[in-house]
Amino acid sequence: MMLRAKVSCLPACDLRGHTLFIKDHTGAGAGSVGLTEFDGQTNQTSDLVMKAPVEAGEYTWVAVCPAVVKDDVSYIEARAPISFTVKPHTTSVVVWDIPSAVVVSEQFRIKVGIKCSSECGFANSRFGVYDHEGARVATGTLPGDRWPGTTGLYVAEVELDAPAGEGLYTWSIRAPEAGVGIPHADGSSSFGVRVVSRPEHLVVVEAIDKESQTPLAGARVVMHPYKAVSDERGIAEVRVVKGPYKLFVSQTRYLTFGLPVEVDADMRARAELSLEPVPERN
Amino acid sequence: MAKKRDTDQKNAKLRGEKAVSRRDFVKSGAAAGAAVFSTSGTALAQVSPVEAIRWDYEVDVVVIGAGCTGLPAAIRARDLGASVIIVEQNFDVGGKMLHSGGQISLGGGDPLQLRDIRGERDAEGFVTAPRQHTVEELTEDTDFLFKDHTDWSVMDAAAQAPYRYNERDLHRAYADNCYATREFLMANYVRMGRISGTHGNGGMSRARRAVTFLMEGPATDIKKGTVSRQDAGIRRVSSSHFAPRFMEDGAKVASPGARVNGAALSRCLEFSAREKGVRFILNCHMDEIIREQQFSGRVVGIRASYSPRFHPQTGARLESLWQNGNIDDRRETIYIRARKAIVIGSGGHANNPQFRSMFYPAWREPAFVSSGWALLGPRGQDASGIIAGMRIGANLAGMHQNLSYGSTFHFPGTLATRDPYTDMLPGHPTFPFRGSTGIVLGTDSFQHLIVVNQVGKRFFNEMLVTVREGGAAFPAGPGKGQPRSGLAHVQGDWRNASADNIRKTYTEPNSIHAALAINEGSKPPDYLSGPIWTIFDRAAVERDKWNINPPFTSPTNGFFFSADTIEELAAKIYKGHEFQRVPLTYLAETVAKWNSYVDRGSDPEFGRGSDAPMYRIEKPPFYAATLYPVWHDSYGGLRINGRAQVVDLQGEPIPGLYAGGEASGGGNQHGLGRALVHGYIAGTNAARESST
Ligand SMILES: Cc1cc2nc3c(=O)[nH]c(=O)nc-3n(C[C@H](O)[C@H](O)[C@H](O)COP(=O)(O)OP(=O)(O)OC[C@H]3O[C@@H](n4cnc5c(N)ncnc54)[C@H](O)[C@@H]3O)c2cc1C
């Protein structure tokens, strides 16, 4: 935190060179700063950068201007309280690479990223994974280094067990659990876990460029919640449970292909995609 | 926090561009001993007493604006023997025309329709592409074109009637002058390809559009019809001073090696104008049109002020590509006398938030700019020509016609730039004002992101945000609001406007209006919507292969941000974007909600999920890029008659005053065709005025 103080006297006097002392809530000296400016009425210090207390809470410190004799005038000591609130650092949590569908009771992995608003080091600190009933189902430990290319995000991967029943569950991550010196407000992030029964049918989707009739590799096939990507032959295989779906096939610069399908057996679908018209500027 | 600035005038100052502040012109007004009137923000506050004026230049015809109306007007007047000066507020010639696609719809049996009907090639033999249309689709006369342009019955796919309200006298003259204008263009070095459809409210019934081209060659040579590869630009890499936008391949409509866009129109007209002795005072903003008395008598001249633009990094004054014919006058104020006439070709009001908000209060939002903003600067399209005309008694026309062209205001789908309706690349001197070319996305790519308002809330189905109705033109059909296509379209048929047809063909999603709506961050009295943001993650960039590196984005222009968390992203936007006046309080909540919708596979708020797949926004880094709407071209302006004379509130022409293009109203046709014909008519009649 940064402090700046003003000192004025009656009658006005130039106190440049005089030093102000800061005492913390225990009365211990926390720092000092010289008066450097005088505008004819008021003296002012330069900026004093100080460390805030490590515990969150309300504090009152004191600025003390010791007694001084200047130009044969003696000025008595003056004090001013400095009241402030120390807030804990905030923690942000991000979760990604959650599989869009997990088979009941199977294991799955997610990535968890945690970051302090003041970019504190979170090396080796811990976080908890909580299920839809609030029970902690796993803990994770952050690595020793920040994620490359970020300014303070620590990233870990955790392995989790899916619930035994089908459904969409909301789980959460809370951090930090332990391992951080300075107080941090809890950060949390929730995420959905879609649990499905074991797929019964295979849907083979062939993605084709409509104009050239050539295969489209890398096309994204989505039959919510199932996803796949087409291979070099333009083929994507999606294993799904029986039921109605909207089959989407999309590819960069192509118009998305959408087709309602009812799956009650293995099936094939052919998706012919047309290039999206380039927006004209005229 | 970034400084929040509210007007482009202040903006211009901060960016090293000269802007005239109210104080400045009040000061200069006082110095000239003239009366000072109060206006809001434009430099038009004086009425100069004629007898007190010391003219700095005297010429037959003064043309205001070296763009699509002004250049043909000047050349035509010069062809007819008049001496001509063009004043242009920008540092270079061309206006929005230089920036344009070069697509010109004329018709009525114009020389190119006839050339294609006869199956002929152009005189130079450049055009090798086959004819695109049947003889029937090209055959018409001027009466037929006139009917098309005044057809009461046509309703477009947004249920607007683009032709119904067109000024009849003006469009009669338009139809009668299309032939001559096409011929005039060809006589002034402009090469055009095959007729291919019609665009932008150029009529529903026949094919009338041709695009301008130059052939790629070893060097740029207007006489030979060639443009160097460097000048034509390199796709996704560079454009040039010659052509601010990359010139596209014209093989389909002209021949292999042809490069097309508005540079092939603008630079050719400019070359011809300079060759014929038209003189240019660039960096010169017309501030006032002077009439004998404010509301009576002839117009006698103009007052203009020095309006240079400076490179934002080097501070150097920007200079025109060609200099012959330029008068480099750097005096603060000059007066130019027009012995015969003045032609207002200053373009429209798209960049004047106060003016354009006459039609739509939400557009008082100063953040949003017109197309061609970087190229023309903050004072291009500031409505100054229209306001100058109004101040000497001119009437207005067609003001509501801003509503009847799909791209008047819309989202072009280009992220991360304030100037989204252009593909200008590094290489043009005004590129630094854009700072980034932007990330150009097709409609389908919006499946990878969400769009939020200034407080971080979604407001519409993202898949529809950039969808717009697109111009009512040949070959008609349901996509353009019409029951029948091609030659089957019937002019003036009641079925075209029937409620049943409108129900079947209406496609306007109205998303732009949701974007501009009042939100929790809108403050009285204007209740501005504030900026619009796209929010996406690293996974989206990887999936849809977006290039988010410079020059597509800029790390410093405040239109693109990345962060490790959504909270951090929101804070960066608030700190770093000049028009973000409030924090994005809801952003983190919105993203969390969106992710829960993705998990469910449907979006209960805005109906996504059935039209395209949905993806979580989860993988850091997270990105925010602006999605700015643009006011493209403007409709509504000075009322002009068939001779392009500006008409006053009594219905009488103001002697000696002409106008056209976007400065004029009552013509709902998009762009070049309208402006070129008006310019041609105005130049013809201006030169024929008697001298005073
Ligand atoms: C990216 C883009 C693509 C386009 N593509 C097409 C297309 O393919 N087909 C089509 O039909 N239309 C197109 N248009 C629209 C078309 O370019 C314009 O509608 C047309 O140029 C308008 O002509 P104008 O003479 O009214 O204005 P402009 O051509 O803009 O000329 C006006 C000139 O006046 C100057 N000026 C303004 N105020 C003053 C002042 N006070 N004093 C001095 N000078 C002043 C301006 O700087 C400018 O140079 C396009 C526009 C853009 C931006």
Side-chain angles (χ1 to χ4, degrees):
Chain A
M1 59 183 184
M2 202 181 72
L3 294 177
R4 192 182 299 163
K6 284 183 176 171
V7 177
S8 49
C9 354
L10 260 177
C13 70
D14 182 353
L15 290 180
R16 278 179 296 181
H18 199 53
T19 302
L20 228 81
F21 296 91
I22 312 294
K23 298 197 170 182
D24 73 9
H25 50 289
T26 67
S32 62
V33 61
L35 290 162
T36 49
E37 287 168 44
F38 178 61
D39 64 4
Q41 289 293 324
T42 309
N43 298 277
Q44 192 171 299
T45 66
S46 52
D47 294 341
L48 173 63
V49 180
M50 311 197 67
K51 251 201 154 71
V54 289
E55 294 293 326
E58 307 286 335
Y59 290 87
T60 302
W61 290 6
V62 187
V64 182
C65 183
V68 63
V69 178
K70 189 102 194 227
D71 301 333
D72 295 336
V73 182
S74 74
Y75 296 87
I76 56 167
E77 180 191 275
R79 288 171 167 251
I82 309 165
S83 296
F84 56 92
T85 308
V86 173
K87 291 188 185 157
H89 291 189
T90 54
T91 309
S92 296
V93 180
V94 286
V95 192
W96 73 99
D97 280 359
I98 309 149
S100 57
V102 191
V103 175
V104 280
S105 302
E106 285 199 346
Q107 287 197 320
F108 65 102
R109 300 175 79 83
I110 60 169
K111 292 207 179 72
V112 177
I114 298 176
K115 183 168 185 179
C116 160
S117 54
S118 302
E119 299 178 1
C120 287
F122 273 166
N124 308 317
S125 69
R126 299 200 2 231
F127 59 89
V129 184
Y130 295 81
D131 73 7
H132 48 287
E133 284 163 345
R136 189 165 74 185
V137 292
T139 51
T141 305
L142 295 173
D145 292 324
R146 291 174 162 88
W147 211 38
T150 71
T151 55
L153 189 71
Y154 287 79
V155 175
E157 196 164 293
V158 265
E159 193 161 77
L160 302 165
D161 292 319
E166 291 168 46
L168 177 60
Y169 299 90
T170 304
W171 288 16
S172 62
I173 309 285
R174 276 181 239 157
E177 287 242 314
V180 190
I182 299 171
H184 280 78
D186 253 12
S188 77
S189 178
S190 50
F191 60 100
V193 183
R194 164 75 65 178
V195 181
V196 294
S197 59
R198 190 160 295 285
E200 321 149 83
H201 300 299
L202 175 68
V203 180
V204 178
V205 181
E206 198 181 353
I208 301 283
D209 175 294
K210 188 170 186 178
E211 209 187 346
S212 66
Q213 291 292 307
T214 52
L216 280 176
R220 301 174 295 274
V221 177
V222 176
M223 294 172 74
H224 180 76
Y226 304 99
K227 288 181 179 161
V229 174
S230 69
D231 62 17
E232 290 305 307
R233 302 163 302 151
I235 302 286
E237 294 189 346
V238 198
R239 286 174 201 283
V240 305
V241 296
K242 170 177 159 183
Y245 294 90
K246 182 96 185 245
L247 163 68
F248 286 117
V249 184
S250 40
Q251 170 68 298
T252 307
R253 287 189 290 281
Y254 284 83
L255 291 171
T256 294
F257 171 93
L259 181 74
V261 288
E262 184 74 40
V263 181
D264 53 9
D266 288 0
M267 61 176 286
R268 288 185 78 88
R270 186 179 161 89
E272 297 196 353
L273 276 71
S274 308
L275 276 171
E276 186 172 26
V278 179
E280 277 198 352
R281 299 274 187 258
N282 59 35
Chain B
M1 250 201 37
K3 276 227 167 104
K4 309 300 178 200
R5 286 167 237 153
D6 269 338
T7 71
D8 254 329
Q9 297 208 355
K10 285 185 201 157
N11 224 353
K13 279 203 166 147
L14 287 160
R15 291 182 183 175
E17 296 202 34
K18 183 184 161 75
V20 175
S21 73
R22 211 177 112 61
R23 216 185 68 225
D24 290 343
F25 61 69
V26 167
K27 216 167 53 193
S28 68
V36 176
F37 288 74
S38 160
T39 68
S40 55
T42 49
L44 296 165
Q46 292 174 233
V47 174
S48 300
V50 177
E51 54 288 355
I53 295 169
R54 285 229 316 273
W55 300 102
D56 299 297
Y57 300 92
E58 198 169 308
V59 74
D60 290 335
V61 178
V62 175
V63 175
I64 302 159
C68 192
T69 309
L71 273 181
I75 297 170
R76 179 71 181 143
R78 194 79 197 100
D79 282 348
L80 297 177
S83 57
V84 182
I85 282 183
I86 304 186
V87 294
E88 166 57 53
Q89 64 86 29
N90 205 10
F91 68 97
D92 203 359
V93 172
K96 273 207 313 196
M97 165 173 62
L98 179 63
H99 223 11
S100 73
Q103 304 184 13
I104 308 169
S105 290
L106 294 174
D110 78 42
L112 292 188
Q113 288 174 315
L114 297 179
R115 185 174 85 186
D116 282 8
I117 288 171
R118 291 194 292 262
E120 289 171 359
R121 293 171 64 175
D122 57 322
E124 291 162 303
F126 289 144
V127 179
T128 56
R131 180 171 84 193
Q132 310 257 308
H133 289 282
T134 64
V135 169
E136 291 71 30
E137 288 167 340
L138 295 163
T139 303
E140 61 171 331
D141 61 17
T142 54
D143 292 344
F144 189 82
L145 176 62
F146 177 46
K147 270 193 199 150
D148 240 21
H149 272 238
T150 50
D151 189 340
W152 70 271
S153 73
V154 170
M155 303 292 287
D156 65 19
Q160 300 287 331
Y163 302 106
R164 181 181 298 168
Y165 307 106
N166 279 344
E167 284 287 346
R168 293 149 190 210
D169 180 33
L170 177 59
H171 281 271
R172 179 71 246 181
Y174 171 86
D176 291 342
N177 280 279
C178 278
Y179 186 99
T181 303
R182 198 71 101 179
E183 221 172 29
F184 165 84
L185 292 175
M186 293 192 281
N188 286 283
Y189 300 117
V190 178
R191 286 89 177 174
M192 288 164 280
R194 292 290 180 210
I195 296 286
S196 159
T198 298
H199 83 297
N201 296 354
M204 297 298 266
S205 305
R206 290 292 182 273
R208 296 168 180 146
R209 167 180 57 188
V211 65
T212 53
F213 73 89
L214 287 167
M215 298 303 295
E216 198 175 300
T220 300
D221 187 330
I222 301 296
K223 287 191 170 172
K224 289 189 181 143
T226 57
V227 60
S228 71
R229 185 151 185 268
Q230 187 73 19
D231 279 349
I234 299 165
R235 184 178 292 283
R236 292 175 68 77
V237 175
S238 64
S239 44
S240 67
H241 196 159
F242 180 87
R245 290 172 65 197
F246 169 80
M247 296 178 76
E248 298 283 347
D249 173 32
K252 209 169 146 226
V253 287
S255 69
R259 303 289 298 264
V260 303
N261 78 17
L265 168 65
S266 184
R267 291 297 183 200
C268 293
L269 288 180
E270 178 188 349
F271 182 87
S272 184
R274 290 182 184 278
E275 193 177 51
K276 288 178 170 172
V278 171
R279 283 174 300 156
F280 294 87
I281 309 183
L282 304 178
N283 308 304
C284 183
H285 186 273
M286 177 285 301
D287 296 333
E288 183 193 356
I289 295 174
I290 301 159
R291 196 174 177 182
E292 283 168 340
Q293 287 83 41
Q294 186 176 3
F295 297 120
S296 61
R298 291 187 65 79
V299 292
V300 290
I302 65 160
R303 176 173 58 84
S305 57
Y306 183 48
S307 57
R309 298 180 68 194
F310 299 97
H311 190 284
Q313 274 106 45
T314 65
R317 194 181 87 148
L318 301 183
E319 303 295 341
S320 59
L321 178 69
W322 295 325
Q323 257 100 50
N324 54 313
N326 285 3
I327 302 170
D328 188 5
D329 193 322
R330 301 185 186 208
R331 281 174 287 181
E332 233 0 273
T333 304
I334 57 170
Y335 289 85
I336 308 175
R337 186 164 116 82
R339 282 189 292 258
K340 287 172 180 266
I342 295 169
V343 179
I344 305 174
S346 52
H349 55 257
N351 210 38
N352 183 329
Q354 291 301 326
F355 200 98
R356 68 193 184 198
S357 69
M358 276 192 226
F359 315 104
Y360 200 162
W363 273 92
R364 209 165 292 139
E365 171 57 84
F368 307 146
V369 293
S370 59
S371 58
W373 170 76
L375 177 74
L376 296 180
R379 301 180 74 199
Q381 304 170 80
D382 63 358
S384 48
I386 305 172
I387 297 170
M390 288 166 70
R391 294 193 66 260
I392 52 167
N395 200 353
L396 301 176
M399 305 309 275
H400 60 291
Q401 291 186 308
N402 275 308
L403 301 177
S404 340
Y405 189 61
S407 62
T408 300
F409 40 84
H410 71 283
F411 283 111
T414 300
L415 320 184
T417 174
R418 191 174 179 198
D419 184 26
Y421 198 81
T422 170
D423 30 28
M424 182 199 280
L425 294 159
H428 190 268
T430 62
F431 181 79
F433 295 102
R434 290 192 83 205
S436 51
T437 62
I439 309 164
V440 185
L441 298 186
T443 306
D444 250 43
S445 289
F446 279 71
Q447 65 188 252
H448 302 284
L449 50 76
I450 59 169
V451 182
V452 300
N453 62 20
Q454 64 176 347
V455 291
K457 280 193 171 178
R458 291 176 66 219
F459 54 84
F460 217 80
N461 177 342
E462 285 79 357
M463 301 306 294
L464 298 175
V465 164
T466 57
V467 172
R468 65 181 152 105
E469 174 280 315
F474 182 85
K480 291 175 178 158
Q482 288 302 292
R484 285 155 296 200
S485 299
L487 294 172
H489 169 76
V490 182
Q491 287 176 332
D493 188 278
W494 67 272
R495 291 171 199 83
N496 299 342
S498 72
D500 184 45
N501 177 56
I502 293 169
R503 263 192 295 276
K504 285 188 190 136
T505 57
Y506 187 85
T507 58
E508 174 62 52
N510 287 301
S511 42
I512 179 91
H513 308 295
L516 300 175
I518 297 171
N519 56 53
E520 289 87 334
S522 307
K523 303 244 167 63
D526 288 328
Y527 295 96
L528 302 175
S529 64
I532 318 289
W533 294 95
T534 56
I535 307 292
F536 49 96
D537 67 353
R538 184 72 218 165
V541 173
E542 287 163 0
R543 248 190 336 262
D544 211 32
K545 305 181 185 73
W546 299 342
N547 192 337
I548 56 166
N549 298 318
F552 301 100
T553 63
S554 156
T556 54
N557 72 350
F559 284 73
F560 180 75
F561 299 96
S562 70
D564 296 339
T565 66
I566 295 291
E567 292 82 358
E568 200 179 311
L569 191 67
K572 280 190 175 177
I573 297 170
Y574 184 45
K575 189 162 178 245
H577 182 72
E578 66 184 281
F579 296 103
Q580 183 66 41
R581 307 175 185 95
V582 293
L584 290 96
T585 314
Y586 299 92
L587 186 62
E589 187 185 316
T590 299
V591 171
K593 213 192 289 180
W594 168 253
N595 286 343
S596 76
Y597 297 161
V598 177
D599 293 340
R600 282 157 58 166
S602 65
D603 164 20
E605 281 185 285
F606 300 106
R608 272 180 72 176
S610 58
D611 44 9
M614 297 160 73
Y615 299 96
R616 294 174 59 101
I617 297 171
E618 56 175 17
K619 183 178 179 181
F622 299 97
Y623 300 104
T626 50
L627 176 69
Y628 262 32
V630 69
W631 192 301
H632 179 27
D633 52 346
S634 50
Y635 297 89
L638 298 169
R639 181 179 158 198
I640 55 172
N641 63 17
R643 293 170 54 81
Q645 290 170 297
V646 176
V647 175
D648 70 13
L649 283 151
Q650 285 72 46
E652 297 299 325
I654 296 177
L657 187 60
Y658 294 82
E662 290 187 35
S664 67
N668 212 168
Q669 187 191 0
H670 172 57
L672 305 175
R674 171 168 70 126
L676 290 166
V677 174
H678 292 173
Y680 178 81
I681 298 173
T684 306
N685 293 320
R688 289 182 180 150
E689 289 266 356
S690 47
S691 283
T692 54

